[in-house]
Amino acid sequence: MHTAFFLLLGASVARFLLRHPGEPRTPWIIALSITLALLYVLGPAVGGTTAAPAPHRRRPWLWLGLVVATWVVLVVLAPSFAWCAVPLFFTTLRTLPPRAAAALVTVLTVFVVAAQLKLSTAFDPNLLLAPPAIAALATAVFIHMERQAQAQRALIDDLIRTRRELAATERREGTLAERQRLSMEIHDTLAQHLSSQQMLLQAADRTWDTDPATARAHVRTATGIAARGLAEARRLVHDLAPPELDNGTGLADALRALDAGPDIEVRFHLEGTPAPLPDRAESALLRIAQGALANIREHSGARTAALTLSFLGDQVVLDIADDGTGFPTAPTAPTDRGHGLPAMRARVRQLGGTLTIESTPGEGTVLSASIPLEPTG
């Protein structure tokens, strides 16, 4: 619209100079045209439109009044300048409130009609009807564009708000997931080590006077567990893999080295051809085995426990069986008391696997964790 304004203004000046050479009004026409052009240029710079930033909208009425007054004088002196009103329609609609803009557009249209009738040698209905039609069309186009712009702004605001809400939700979910992960890590490592140390130290205290050798053995074992717990704590701080899997130690060797205390014999079996496992899968299976052995030590009263690691091609399965007292596994039985079993289920679920428990009172318990493997071909 700015380009159209200057093209129409230049064409009007050229038409006047061609049609009226040597007119006494020529200097006034040229001066007013230059003034109008300068005022129009100063509009966006000084702040004549509502599209300008807030600091640039201080004097829209004054600016638009000067532009319209200069244009009116030009139209009175040279009616051919009337068609510069078309860009002024849009400028008025962008600058003033709706009602004031409609009133000023009507005034501009009246001046255009009067100027065209003055230029015409005979009455032409088109000269009476065309300017109002153009003004109405310009107003309708502007209103439509303004509504679309408002709808787009509302949509953009909604998208920005939704994006912020999604980001906040993701942060909350990430925080909860990290808290759950740390809770499982602490339960399966530090808490179990502390529990084992407590049991060993209590046993050492009971036998300190009657069997010093056994008591010292319990203390030495508790010291070793404390050292492993310290290593686990450091690993948690650095968020690294379990120390049992350090230095290239495989999952099978790490499981073979596990124990459930001095009173429980732990046996390990490996079935199938071992395949490379993701670090997350190895860590999860090792933590599940540690948590299961801790449950066996604290709750089952078992004398033996068996760990079986099976590679079945498309999945790896870890079975932990004991000969303890067992417990009911009916749907209503509280098999998920505490943090142990829920933590195991969460670990397996995060890897797309399943955890099953089979137990009968007096006949022991079998816990099975199955994790799918991606094809290697």
Side-chain angles (χ1 to χ4, degrees):
M1 295 308 299
H2 296 330
T3 302
F5 175 80
F6 287 108
L7 288 175
L8 290 172
L9 182 61
S12 300
V13 173
R15 184 182 186 279
F16 179 83
L17 295 177
L18 291 174
R19 295 289 183 90
H20 308 281
E23 277 275 346
R25 295 173 295 172
T26 300
W28 288 102
I29 296 297
I30 295 175
L32 288 171
S33 299
I34 295 174
T35 302
L36 181 60
L38 291 176
L39 286 172
Y40 195 88
V41 169
L42 290 175
V46 174
T49 65
T50 55
H56 296 160
R57 292 188 306 218
R58 297 170 184 171
R59 297 181 295 274
W61 288 81
L62 175 60
W63 171 82
L64 187 60
L66 291 174
V67 170
V68 172
T70 306
W71 173 80
V72 168
V73 174
L74 273 173
V75 172
V76 172
L77 296 177
S80 58
F81 284 85
W83 287 110
C84 292
V86 176
L88 292 180
F89 290 161
F90 285 94
T91 302
T92 300
L93 291 168
R94 293 176 64 227
T95 304
L96 301 180
R99 292 185 179 180
L104 186 54
V105 167
T106 303
V107 173
L108 295 178
T109 305
V110 171
F111 269 89
V112 172
V113 172
Q116 294 303 306
L117 291 176
K118 184 178 179 180
L119 288 174
S120 177
T121 57
F123 177 76
D124 187 349
N126 288 331
L127 299 178
L128 188 63
L129 299 177
I134 293 174
L137 179 62
T139 303
V141 169
F142 177 83
I143 292 175
H144 178 68
M145 292 170 57
E146 190 67 19
R147 288 176 178 174
Q148 283 189 326
Q150 291 177 356
Q152 288 178 347
R153 285 193 293 269
L155 178 60
I156 291 173
D157 291 341
D158 289 341
L159 290 175
I160 292 175
R161 183 170 56 256
T162 302
R163 186 172 62 181
R164 290 174 178 171
E165 291 175 354
L166 288 175
T169 301
E170 290 176 356
R171 285 195 296 269
R172 287 194 298 269
E173 291 179 352
T175 301
L176 292 175
E178 184 65 11
R179 290 178 61 183
Q180 183 183 27
R181 185 189 71 82
L182 289 175
S183 174
M184 292 187 299
E185 292 286 344
I186 292 172
H187 175 272
D188 292 342
T189 57
L190 299 181
Q192 305 300 345
H193 290 156
L194 291 173
S195 176
S196 299
Q197 292 174 54
Q198 182 184 29
M199 294 177 61
L200 288 168
L201 293 175
Q202 289 175 346
D205 182 64
R206 288 193 300 269
T207 60
W208 191 265
D209 296 326
T210 59
D211 192 353
T214 302
R216 284 193 292 271
H218 289 330
V219 171
R220 286 193 296 271
T221 304
T223 302
I225 294 176
R228 290 198 297 272
L230 179 60
E232 289 285 358
R234 290 171 176 169
R235 296 292 173 167
L236 287 176
V237 172
H238 295 286
D239 195 22
L240 299 176
E244 292 87 353
L245 298 176
D246 276 352
N247 302 321
T249 303
L251 177 62
D253 293 333
L255 293 174
R256 188 177 287 109
L258 293 180
D259 65 78
D263 299 327
I264 302 176
E265 179 185 2
V266 179
R267 303 169 183 169
F268 175 76
H269 305 280
L270 177 64
E271 297 184 359
T273 303
L277 297 177
D279 293 341
R280 291 183 60 199
E282 287 190 342
S283 178
L285 291 175
L286 179 60
R287 296 305 191 203
I288 289 172
Q290 291 173 328
L293 291 178
N295 287 341
I296 291 172
R297 179 179 62 249
E298 295 180 12
H299 307 297
S300 71
R303 305 299 300 173
T304 60
L307 304 179
T308 304
L309 181 64
S310 304
F311 290 89
L312 305 179
D314 60 342
Q315 62 180 342
V316 58
V317 180
L318 175 63
D319 297 312
I320 302 103
D322 67 73
D323 59 356
T325 57
F327 54 85
T329 57
T332 56
T335 60
D336 279 7
R337 290 177 296 180
H339 296 282
L341 292 179
M344 296 180 195
R345 295 187 191 279
R347 289 183 186 277
V348 174
R349 186 165 54 248
Q350 289 173 357
L351 296 171
T354 57
L355 182 76
T356 59
I357 301 174
E358 297 180 3
S359 183
T360 302
E363 297 184 8
T365 303
V366 177
L367 182 147
S368 180
S370 175
I371 296 177
L373 300 177
E374 294 187 2
T376 57

